[in-house]
Structure formats: C-alpha cells, structure tokens
Amino acid sequence: MHVIAQNKPAATGFPGIEHATLAGSAEGLRAMSIWQQSVAPGAATPPHRHDCEEVVMCHAGTGELHIDGRIERFSAEQVVVIPANAQHQILSVGSEPLRFVAVFSVSPVQAYFPDGTPIALPWRT
C-alpha cells in the first residue's frame, strides 16, 4: 500500500484531543509511525513517555512542552524533539486548537504513564 486516504482527526476519549493515525503498523511500517492530532485550547495530553523518539511538527496554535522539569513554549512552524523515554506532556495554551503531526521512530507506538503503567491508546498506532 503506497497511497493512503487520510481521515480527519476524530474524538479519542481523551478530553479535548482529536487523533488520526496517518501511517503505522497497519500500513506495514515497523520503524516509523505518523500521527496527526488537534488539542483544544486548555486541553493536554496526559503526562507520559514512549520507548522511542518523537518529533512533533506544529502547524497551528500555541503549545507548551513539559519535559525534564522545564516548560518550553512552541507554535506554528516549530519542531519539538522528544528523546526516547523522556516523560513529557503537551498542553494547548493558545486561543485556537494546537494542531500538529507527530513522527515516532517505531511502529506500533506504546505510551506509558509516569508510574510505568501502559496507556491503552484508543487509536491504531
């Protein structure tokens, strides 16, 4: 499968977060997953980590990355690099939704809460 029709991000069960998997293990990938997400103003991902690297390419809105005890603000036309196993959280802090594409260095992607409990992601990875 080389050309894939893309769905728009849809509600996930995480408040304020819409998600679409653009490509992942279902498309035969093993070393990469690509997600598109929209985070409503005031909403946030839960604090979590992944066993892989993550690159977030912001297309709209303003976000905060909480990582390693620091807060780093980012917005459209900026890229966020998150090392493997770094506990992090992304918050939408602007007046419009935070929209981004995230690329992971593995497929499927697993997420873990800070205590190490796996997060049951409500989408395909």
Side-chain angles (χ1 to χ4, degrees):
M1 181 179 313
H2 298 284
V3 178
I4 304 161
Q6 295 301 307
N7 295 319
K8 293 194 180 283
T12 63
F14 291 113
I17 297 177
E18 295 181 343
H19 173 93
T21 298
L22 301 181
S25 58
E27 289 74 36
L29 296 176
R30 293 180 307 205
M32 180 184 302
S33 289
I34 304 173
W35 298 354
Q36 182 178 20
Q37 292 190 333
S38 178
V39 183
T45 66
H48 66 284
R49 69 172 181 81
H50 308 280
D51 290 338
C52 62
E53 297 166 316
E54 177 180 0
V55 175
V56 174
M57 296 166 284
C58 183
H59 297 290
T62 303
E64 283 184 354
L65 172 68
H66 292 215
I67 187 169
D68 297 331
R70 296 185 321 270
I71 298 173
E72 299 184 37
R73 194 164 276 227
F74 63 95
S75 59
E77 308 303 323
Q78 292 185 305
V79 174
V80 176
V81 176
I82 303 169
N85 293 305
Q87 182 178 310
H88 61 284
Q89 182 178 28
I90 294 176
L91 296 84
S92 178
V93 297
S95 59
E96 64 180 288
L98 175 64
R99 298 183 193 283
F100 58 86
V101 170
V103 179
F104 299 84
S105 62
V106 69
S107 190
V109 176
Q110 179 60 56
Y112 301 91
F113 287 113
D115 68 1
T117 303
I119 300 172
L121 297 174
W123 55 76
R124 66 181 180 84
T125 67

